[in-house]
Amino acid sequence: MPNPQPARKAIEHDLAVLVRALEGLYRSRKYPLERAQYLLLLALREGARPSGDLAATLALDHSTVTHRLRRWKRVG
């Protein structure tokens, strides 16, 4: 069986470069939402879900999700 390590390392490198490029693009365009907010909104487009599920799915801290949801609810 071939060693999967070189392929994993190549993918990890490519993902790191992609993430860095996307972060630079994000900063240069001055988007009104942070990345976590954007991901949360995308997840909510699929329908209401418990905040714990959203946090786990998006790899966010539960307190971050609940804080954001409360704030959005206050402002409508």
Side-chain angles (χ1 to χ4, degrees), residues 36 39-40 43-44 49-67 69:
L39 292 172
L40 188 54
L44 289 171
R49 293 169 48 191
S51 59
D53 289 353
L54 289 167
T57 299
L58 301 173
L60 296 171
D61 186 77
H62 187 253
S63 64
T64 300
V65 172
T66 55
H67 172 75
L69 293 175

Side-chain angles (χ1 to χ4, degrees), residues 16-73:
V17 170
L18 176 62
V19 166
R20 176 67 187 108
L22 291 172
E23 287 174 344
L25 181 63
Y26 174 84
R27 280 192 301 278
S28 70
R29 292 193 178 173
K30 297 181 176 34
Y31 288 111
L33 297 175
E34 296 174 7
R35 187 176 347 148
Q37 294 171 339
Y38 177 73
L39 292 172
L40 188 54
L41 284 175
L42 286 180
L44 289 171
R45 281 187 1 182
E46 298 172 8
R49 293 169 48 191
S51 59
D53 289 353
L54 289 167
T57 299
L58 301 173
L60 296 171
D61 186 77
H62 187 253
S63 64
T64 300
V65 172
T66 55
H67 172 75
R68 179 54 48 196
L69 293 175
R70 279 191 210 125
R71 191 168 184 193
W72 286 341
K73 189 174 182 176

